[in-house]
Amino acid sequence: MSDSTSGSISKAEIGRYGVWSLGLRNEDPGRRGEIGEAAAELQELGYGTAWLGGSSAPVNALPLLEKTDRLVVGTSIQSIWQYDARESAAGYAEVEAAHPGRFLLGLGMSHAKLAEQYRRPYSALVEYLDELDAAGVPAGRRVLAALGPKTVRLAGERSLGAIPYLVTPEHTARAREILGQGPLLAPEFGVVLESDPARARELARGHLEMYLQLPNYTTNFQRLGFTEDDLRGGGSDRLIDAMYAWGDDDTIREKVNAFLTAGADHVALQVVQEGSPDELPRAAWRKLAGILL
């Protein structure tokens, strides 16, 4: 499936739309069948890629890959502090041997509040990529969760491309300018399938709350033109409406496709709804497919 000379997965195989879900990386053996069934349905619906939310390892992709034959599966986002490069390389090799050409190793630097050993994160990421190179993990089979310009540039130079999280079309346009046309640009974007403004924003604020405690995200929000006032009280309406799509079908389609217009190759759609994030929002994925695919 992948390019045999570079090891890369093509943009066509990754597709224009994918799903991002914490539930897809559930490690409960009792849910393995449910996850596989959901992956098979995602492929049938026309999604190109399933992104495993949280700090997933390559092994978490196996239940999805086993039940599909075209779906690309990626980690989004494996923390470089949680799994060392040797573990990642070994996991990549295991998955690649079983299901060649359909796995992407999505890597990120996490956050100081979440990783005790957090230090010199950019340098640590470069060293991690050096170790993956030495272990034979192709650059074209890894992607980086890049927010700032320096890391976006690194993603273009040392991986297939960038998978930024919690960003806007404006960020996408800036990232595309840095990357040029070749590298993959696949932002995550939250979708609330709700047309009532108060309810939609309530759900979005509940989701955003944790991220407003993490400086990597709040710094990026300010880089995009949001102010300290926008970050208070769970996020201003302006911030919420920029970070999440909600409304009628036409509005949601327009907001998602704004990323493609700005230069994205792919949009990883995260459904935000009431209930546990470990649930698989299969009805919502079907509805989104009807809107977009």
Side-chain angles (χ1 to χ4, degrees):
M1 182 178 185
S2 62
D3 183 322
S4 60
T5 58
S6 68
S8 295
I9 297 176
S10 73
K11 292 179 181 180
E13 289 163 335
I14 291 166
R16 287 167 67 85
Y17 306 105
V19 301
W20 191 106
S21 170
L22 284 168
L24 287 173
R25 58 94 60 211
N26 195 296
E27 296 181 354
D28 180 354
R31 297 193 64 188
R32 192 179 185 96
E34 178 191 3
I35 290 170
E37 290 173 8
E41 183 178 20
L42 289 173
Q43 176 176 279
E44 185 65 25
L45 287 169
Y47 293 105
T49 301
W51 299 96
L52 309 179
S55 184
S56 304
V59 68
N60 299 129
L62 289 174
L64 293 82
L65 293 167
E66 288 167 356
K67 296 298 183 181
T68 57
D69 57 12
R70 299 186 311 278
L71 190 73
V72 174
V73 182
T75 54
S76 182
I77 306 153
Q78 181 180 298
S79 168
I80 63 171
W81 311 110
Q82 184 172 350
Y83 303 93
D84 67 34
R86 287 172 296 179
E87 289 179 285
S88 293
Y92 168 82
E94 176 187 353
V95 172
E96 180 64 10
H99 304 280
R102 292 199 290 131
F103 175 70
L104 281 171
L105 181 63
L107 300 169
M109 297 180 286
S110 189
H111 306 270
K113 290 186 177 182
L114 303 180
E116 289 184 9
Q117 64 273 55
Y118 194 89
R119 72 188 190 337
R120 299 174 62 242
Y122 181 86
S123 296
L125 179 58
V126 171
E127 291 167 9
Y128 200 99
L129 295 174
D130 290 343
E131 290 188 57
L132 291 181
D133 286 345
V137 178
R141 299 295 295 283
R142 60 204 193 205
V143 285
L144 304 184
L147 289 178
K150 190 175 179 181
T151 312
V152 169
R153 187 170 294 105
L154 182 69
E157 294 170 350
R158 299 290 305 276
S159 78
L160 186 63
I163 52 167
Y165 187 92
L166 265 181
V167 293
T168 63
E170 290 74 20
H171 182 278
T172 293
R174 296 177 190 180
R176 176 54 71 199
E177 186 174 352
I178 294 168
L179 290 169
Q181 291 305 308
L184 177 74
L185 181 52
E188 173 274 345
F189 189 42
V191 178
V192 186
L193 293 173
E194 173 63 64
S195 57
D196 177 73
R199 180 59 178 154
R201 289 172 176 146
E202 177 186 18
L203 289 167
R205 284 192 175 94
H207 181 261
L208 188 64
E209 180 180 10
M210 176 184 76
Y211 301 106
L212 288 174
Q213 312 307 311
L214 301 174
N216 290 10
Y217 289 119
T218 56
T219 297
N220 195 55
F221 295 158
Q222 291 175 302
R223 193 184 290 126
L224 290 169
F226 295 98
T227 67
E228 289 285 351
D229 288 341
D230 287 311
L231 307 182
R232 296 192 181 101
S236 67
D237 286 354
R238 184 169 84 104
L239 179 65
I240 293 296
D241 294 351
M243 295 296 160
Y244 299 88
W246 60 268
D248 61 25
D249 291 359
D250 288 340
T251 300
I252 289 172
R253 185 184 305 109
E254 180 181 346
K255 293 202 73 171
V256 170
N257 286 340
F259 284 88
L260 300 174
T261 301
D265 302 296
H266 171 95
V267 187
L269 301 161
Q270 179 177 185
V271 170
V272 175
Q273 60 183 22
E274 194 170 20
S276 168
D278 285 334
E279 294 176 6
L280 299 174
R282 294 175 67 174
W285 290 339
R286 293 179 200 122
K287 182 172 181 178
L288 264 180
I291 293 171
L292 297 169
L293 297 166

